Amino acid sequence: DNEWFCKYDDHGNMIYKKYLSDNEWFCKYDDHGNMIYKKDNYGNEFYWYYKYDDKGNTIYMKDSDGDEFYYKYDDKGNMIYVKSDRGYEWYYKYDDHNNEIYRKDSDGDEFYWYYKYDDHNNKIYMKDSDGEEYYYKYDDHNNKIYMKDSDGNEYHWEYEY
């Protein structure tokens, strides 16, 4: 089943996720909002270690499998380059709203995104380079409450105020 229930901390980080199929995740985050620990109800555990620059941007990450990643940012704090210890590289570009609009990887694969916004700068439409389209709706607090994808799948969010 594709339905799930999530709980979030005061910073908007998901700390608990339960699928109706009974799979559960328990998560912990560092002071920068990066997930540092995830455990599922089957006993699988995952860890992440981070290093930051003086602006709080992640410049290094190592996961529980031993994979390492190095990050670079533009002057707006957008990630523009990632390199893994296995030699993979990713390059990124952003629009005026700091949304990712272009990504190219070391294999030469390129991805593009096109966005439309409402009067509150909420993303209401997105189309990617594969032709996938997404439509979004928001509540009066500018929280996303609805998304529909090209396949007709609909997603709903509810908030307690």
Side-chain angles (χ1 to χ4, degrees):
D1 209 311
N2 286 336
E3 292 187 55
W4 59 82
F5 171 78
C6 299
K7 289 184 182 177
Y8 296 86
D9 64 16
D10 292 338
H11 304 287
N13 298 312
M14 181 187 62
I15 56 174
Y16 174 78
K17 186 172 190 176
K18 178 176 175 53
Y19 289 91
L20 293 183
S21 62
D22 283 339
N23 192 12
E24 293 178 289
W25 295 350
F26 303 90
C27 306
K28 293 182 182 177
Y29 298 82
D30 66 13
D31 292 339
H32 295 274
N34 286 313
M35 187 182 297
I36 57 172
Y37 175 78
K38 180 171 75 173
K39 181 178 181 179
D40 65 22
N41 56 320
Y42 302 109
N44 299 309
E45 294 182 298
F46 307 92
Y47 300 89
W48 294 268
Y49 170 75
Y50 299 88
K51 288 184 183 177
Y52 302 95
D53 64 16
D54 58 355
K55 296 178 183 175
N57 296 314
T58 302
I59 57 173
Y60 172 81
M61 188 273 293
K62 184 175 184 177
D63 64 25
S64 51
D65 292 330
D67 294 323
E68 297 176 288
F69 298 87
Y70 304 86
Y71 303 85
K72 292 184 181 177
Y73 298 84
D74 64 16
D75 58 352
K76 295 179 182 178
N78 295 312
M79 182 178 57
I80 58 171
Y81 176 74
V82 179
K83 183 175 183 174
S84 77
D85 62 330
R86 296 180 185 209
Y88 295 108
E89 295 177 301
W90 296 267
Y91 302 88
Y92 302 85
K93 291 182 182 176
Y94 299 84
D95 65 12
D96 293 338
H97 299 278
N98 296 318
N99 289 303
E100 181 183 338
I101 59 170
Y102 173 81
R103 181 187 324 148
K104 182 177 181 179
D105 64 26
S106 51
D107 292 332
D109 295 326
E110 294 181 302
F111 305 92
Y112 300 88
W113 293 268
Y114 170 75
Y115 301 95
K116 286 184 183 177
Y117 301 89
D118 64 15
D119 293 338
H120 300 285
N121 203 29
N122 295 314
K123 180 177 23 181
I124 59 172
Y125 174 78
M126 181 182 81
K127 184 175 183 177
D128 65 25
S129 53
D130 293 330
E132 297 292 323
E133 294 179 294
Y134 302 87
Y135 299 88
Y136 305 88
K137 292 182 183 177
Y138 299 84
D139 65 14
D140 292 338
H141 299 279
N142 293 315
N143 292 309
K144 182 172 39 176
I145 59 170
Y146 174 81
M147 182 183 82
K148 184 176 182 179
D149 65 24
S150 295
D151 296 327
N153 297 311
E154 295 181 339
Y155 305 86
H156 301 269
W157 288 262
E158 294 179 12
Y159 303 89
E160 294 181 10
Y161 300 106

